[in-house]
């Protein structure tokens, strides 16, 4: 199925955005918006926010220089401000990425929505809080959706778009168009559910991983190796369902389910329970994780992660498939945008 048409930020009238929160996710949003030529106004009470965001922007620019040779627009600016109201003033879109605390998020969204005009759409990066709860204290709550991205925001295209009970359908369309203009792949959910889709899947895997470490069955490195040398390589292109359809052979998914469905009743996993996060378990995880990192700092690990993701994305692009199809469609839109700009310059000089 071909990727939808991509409108540019200019065509959508998005020239300046407000960001509420500048941590790992908020900083990733800042980088993606800025690299797409959009000015960013960011609120974060952390006195180190400006330094951290600029470091993430440098990593993001390094990654995009490798990812694509399509003509990027002149990068937008990033300004750090002292209040959520300042971040919502004279902007055309607001993205909230505060810590995963409902009260904090509700307060920020309420304060910013008092300032932003009624037609400014708000997206929340929450990974699990229902949008109906987040919009409850907002001015014009119909303009909020969840826009849940994945780290690193500046490279991974998926963003889950989830409406709340008060959300207007035009808000969903507007948010999806803005995210698409940044080279992302919005996945619009029909209704809200705790954890949405991707994090429910990730949490199931995470719980089982913790049990394997807690029970001494595997180290944290073996847990990761089980993914990165096996199923993770398939998931980059086909996910779980299509992979299992192929595993069913000519009989397809029904044959696969007949073969392996009964195994779901076997007591292999502990998905309904969580191991107690004792000091002993936390010490074990920390010690094994430190050994796995082998002295590499967080920025060094981020760059390694980015380089590996770029290789996967570029490989998928050669097949015009999965996340590679999103990248290709975005590059085509960038080239069309540059050609249109050159034509406007020619017309203006005629």
């Amino acid at each position: 199925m071909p990727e939808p048409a991509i409108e540019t930020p200019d065509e959508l009238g998005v020239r300046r955005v407000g960001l509420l929160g500048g941590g790992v996710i908020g900083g990733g949003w800042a980088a993606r918006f800025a690299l797409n030529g959009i000015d960013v106004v960011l609120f974060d009470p952390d006195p180190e926010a400006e330094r951290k965001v600029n470091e993430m922007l440098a990593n993001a620019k390094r990654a995009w220089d490798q990812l694509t040779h399509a003509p990027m627009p002149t990068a937008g600016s990033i300004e750090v401000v002292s209040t959520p109201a300042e971040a919502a003033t004279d902007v055309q879109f607001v993205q909230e990425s505060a810590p995963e605390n409902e009260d904090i998020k509700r307060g920020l969204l309420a304060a910013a929505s008092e300032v932003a005009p009624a037609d400014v759409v708000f997206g929340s990066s929450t990974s699990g809080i229902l949008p109906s709860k987040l919009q409850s204290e907002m001015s014009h709550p119909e303009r909020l959706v969840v826009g849940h991205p994945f780290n690193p925001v500046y490279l991974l295209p998926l963003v889950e778009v989830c409406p709340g009970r008060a959300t207007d359908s035009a808000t969903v369309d507007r948010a999806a168009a803005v995210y698409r203009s940044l080279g992302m792949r919005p996945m619009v959910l029909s209704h809200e559910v705790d954890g949405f889709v991707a994090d429910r899947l990730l949490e199931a895997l995470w719980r089982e991983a913790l049990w394997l470490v807690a029970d001494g069955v595997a180290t944290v490195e073996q847990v990761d190796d089980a993914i990165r040398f096996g199923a993770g390589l398939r998931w980059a292109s086909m996910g779980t369902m299509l992979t299992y359809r192929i595993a069913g052979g000519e009989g397809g998914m029904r044959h696969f389910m007949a073969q392996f469905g009964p195994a779901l009743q076997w007591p292999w996993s502990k998905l309904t329970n969580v191991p107690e996060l004792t000091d002993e378990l936390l010490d074990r995880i920390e010690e094994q994780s430190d050994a796995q990192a082998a002295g590499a700092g967080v920025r060094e690990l981020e760059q390694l992660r980015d380089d590996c993701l770029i290789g996967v994305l570029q490989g998928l692009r050669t097949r015009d498939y999965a996340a590679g199809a999103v990248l290709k469609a975005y590059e085509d839109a960038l080239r069309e945008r540059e050609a249109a700009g050159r034509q406007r310059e020619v017309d203006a000089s005629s």
Side-chain angles (χ1 to χ4, degrees), residues 23-342:
V24 172
I25 298 300
W29 275 120
R32 189 178 272 273
F33 277 113
L35 290 176
N36 275 277
I38 299 169
D39 291 333
V40 172
V41 189
L42 183 147
F43 164 72
D44 193 299
D46 181 359
E48 294 291 306
E50 186 170 6
R51 174 188 64 79
K52 293 175 182 177
V53 169
N54 282 326
E55 286 180 358
M56 291 187 68
L57 176 61
N59 266 1
K61 188 177 185 311
R62 171 187 176 276
W64 277 84
D65 286 345
Q66 298 176 70
L67 178 67
T68 180
H69 296 299
M72 298 295 295
T74 301
S77 62
I78 298 178
E79 177 188 3
V80 178
V81 296
S82 57
T83 67
E86 289 178 88
T89 300
D90 297 326
V91 299
Q92 295 81 46
F93 192 86
V94 175
Q95 184 76 28
E96 173 274 315
S97 305
E100 200 70 357
N101 178 293
E102 185 179 327
D103 290 338
I104 292 175
K105 287 178 179 289
R106 274 210 319 261
L108 284 172
L109 290 166
S113 68
E114 288 293 328
V115 176
D119 62 346
V120 171
V121 168
F122 280 65
S124 172
S125 300
T126 178
S127 57
I129 301 173
L130 297 179
S132 291
K133 294 181 178 180
L134 296 177
Q135 65 192 176
S136 62
E137 298 176 12
M138 287 181 64
S139 171
H140 299 285
E142 70 280 356
R143 35 88 172 261
L144 174 109
V145 295
V146 162
H148 173 224
F150 295 82
N151 187 37
V153 180
Y154 54 80
L155 274 183
L156 293 185
L158 180 64
V159 54
E160 294 180 297
V161 178
C162 181
R165 285 193 297 269
T167 305
D168 190 272
S169 60
T171 297
V172 176
D173 294 341
R174 169 73 170 176
V178 170
Y179 295 138
R180 200 174 287 117
S181 76
L182 306 176
M184 303 185 82
R185 177 57 149 72
M187 183 174 73
V188 177
L189 308 186
S190 59
H191 62 275
E192 60 184 355
V193 61
D194 292 317
F196 316 120
V197 173
D199 271 3
R200 291 173 76 98
L201 298 171
L202 292 174
E203 185 174 303
L205 181 61
W206 176 232
R207 286 175 187 240
E208 190 62 23
L210 289 176
W211 273 118
L212 291 169
V213 176
D215 290 344
V217 174
T219 65
V220 296
E221 185 169 13
Q222 287 174 323
V223 167
D224 283 355
D225 286 351
I227 299 300
R228 67 192 185 115
F229 293 116
L233 295 171
R234 299 188 309 221
W235 288 343
S237 59
M238 290 191 173
T240 297
M241 294 297 189
L242 192 55
T243 294
Y244 285 167
R245 176 186 175 87
I246 294 172
E250 294 182 0
M253 182 61 91
R254 182 169 290 277
H255 180 62
F256 175 83
M257 293 300 295
Q259 278 192 305
F260 297 102
L264 297 175
Q265 304 297 323
W266 300 346
W268 281 1
S269 68
K270 298 181 179 179
L271 295 181
T272 57
N273 299 305
V274 183
E276 183 180 355
L277 299 180
T278 63
D279 288 341
E280 180 185 2
L281 176 57
L282 293 175
D283 288 344
R284 186 189 311 173
I285 292 173
E286 181 180 32
E287 180 182 350
Q288 292 179 2
S289 180
D290 287 347
Q292 184 183 25
V298 64
R299 300 303 174 211
E300 185 179 353
L301 290 173
E302 285 174 349
Q303 291 182 2
L304 175 61
R305 173 204 63 194
D306 291 353
D307 291 348
C308 293
L309 285 172
I310 288 164
V312 173
L313 287 164
Q314 290 179 334
L316 291 170
R317 180 182 53 188
T318 65
R319 309 305 303 172
D320 194 14
Y321 191 69
V326 178
L327 175 59
K328 184 177 182 300
Y330 175 63
E331 290 178 327
D332 290 344
L334 287 172
R335 293 188 178 95
E336 291 174 7
R337 181 181 185 182
E338 185 192 45
R342 287 200 304 267

